[in-house]
Amino acid sequence: RQPVPLGEVEDAVSICSRFVTGGMSLGALSREAHEVIALGMNRVGGMSNSGEGGEDPLRYKPLQDVDEDGHSASFPHLQGLRNGDSATSATKQVASGRFGV
């Protein structure tokens, strides 16, 4: 098999923009899990799904209170944060009719 010429390989930014996560309800995954998935996907340019149950409105704005150790008063349960990080999910999933909402 012949190697693919580098000029024909799609760049990492383009590839990452197609990364998406499935939706898992808040409760099926912990708050921390949802936030870490969203942070990671936002850092690589992908899209996460909030799942049914929505998001805390605190997650809608980029972090601005991260100290030099990567801690935030807004998200004290998370580590390794950076100012400008976003914990919001790109896809906002709402409850479906099957729950009688």
Side-chain angles (χ1 to χ4, degrees), residues 16-24 29 33-34 36-42 44-51 55 59 88-93:
C16 288
S17 71
R18 292 193 304 274
F19 288 2
V20 295
T21 65
M24 290 289 290
L29 290 179
H34 273 280
V36 168
I37 290 169
L39 285 160
M41 292 301 284
N42 289 332
V44 301
M47 296 187 300
S48 63
N49 183 323
S50 69
E55 298 177 326
R59 293 176 54 186
T88 193
S89 291
T91 303
K92 311 293 190 214
Q93 186 174 332

Side-chain angles (χ1 to χ4, degrees), residues 69-86:
D69 296 321
H71 298 107
S72 162
S74 302
F75 294 86
H77 49 282
L78 301 179
Q79 300 176 21
L81 300 170
R82 304 175 196 152
N83 279 315
D85 271 343
S86 175

